Amino acid sequence: MKRNWTLIIALFALSSLSAQSTLPTAKVEQAFGQEVVADWLQNQPEEIQLSAFYAEHGWVFNEDGKVPQDALQIEELEPQTEGVTKMTAEAFDAATFNPLLFNIKLSDTRPTYIQVGDRGVLMFYSTERLQTLFTRFQINEQARNN
């Protein structure tokens, strides 16, 4: 329990320290639009940081991955952003994939798996794991900047 409080305090401190240097990424702007991003810059800069981290580091694509039975198919991903077409296995490109554009339900404690046809498996970290990785990322960034 003490460790959890330490992580929460560290995250809060780092969020407030790095809030002024928050810049949205192209994936964040693409998913949420300039109006929302402008509001976040003023009121919730940590949302930009977490969204950008999730878009780049909150998932992995494994071409040789075994597909769990409860995996969704990539065609089942519903677009979250207006004007975005459904993803297909043939159109999937790990280099340009933006998970922020799709309504991906993350589990609190377990990874979420999405099968990309016969090309591989997308694995999204649980919200708990994502928060831990994000906290570590912020600590490392703060250390580099000092």
Side-chain angles (χ1 to χ4, degrees):
M1 182 69 169
K2 185 176 181 180
R3 182 174 181 220
N4 287 340
W5 280 109
T6 305
L7 286 175
I8 291 169
I9 292 169
L11 179 60
F12 178 76
L14 289 173
S15 294
S16 54
L17 284 175
S18 60
Q20 283 75 26
S21 64
T22 302
L23 294 176
T25 65
K27 287 183 177 182
V28 172
E29 287 183 339
Q30 179 186 25
F32 300 108
Q34 292 179 343
E35 189 174 307
V36 170
V37 170
D39 179 59
W40 283 357
L41 280 169
Q42 292 295 314
N43 303 308
Q44 297 175 296
E46 65 281 354
E47 278 298 317
I48 293 173
Q49 293 172 327
L50 183 58
S51 295
F53 183 82
Y54 168 68
E56 297 299 327
H57 306 289
W59 58 278
V60 293
F61 178 65
N62 188 348
E63 293 179 8
D64 300 323
K66 292 188 179 188
V67 181
Q69 280 187 318
D70 62 344
L72 295 171
Q73 299 295 317
I74 191 128
E75 289 81 8
E76 294 179 76
L77 287 182
E78 290 295 325
Q80 181 168 282
T81 305
E82 194 173 310
V84 174
T85 58
K86 280 194 160 198
M87 179 64 64
T88 64
E90 295 78 27
F92 176 79
D93 180 5
T96 60
F97 178 64
N98 185 352
L100 299 172
L101 297 175
F102 299 93
N103 190 15
I104 302 167
K105 303 267 191 265
L106 300 180
S107 167
D108 288 339
T109 58
R110 296 183 35 196
T112 300
Y113 296 94
I114 299 174
Q115 184 174 354
V116 184
D118 61 357
R119 297 181 55 202
V121 178
L122 274 168
M123 190 229 22
F124 292 86
Y125 295 112
S126 68
T127 55
E128 184 177 278
R129 181 71 177 147
L130 183 64
Q131 192 62 53
T132 299
L133 293 172
F134 181 59
T135 300
R136 288 180 187 167
F137 173 78
Q138 286 187 308
I139 290 169
N140 289 337
E141 285 296 303
Q142 189 65 31
R144 270 185 267 230
N145 292 332
N146 288 333

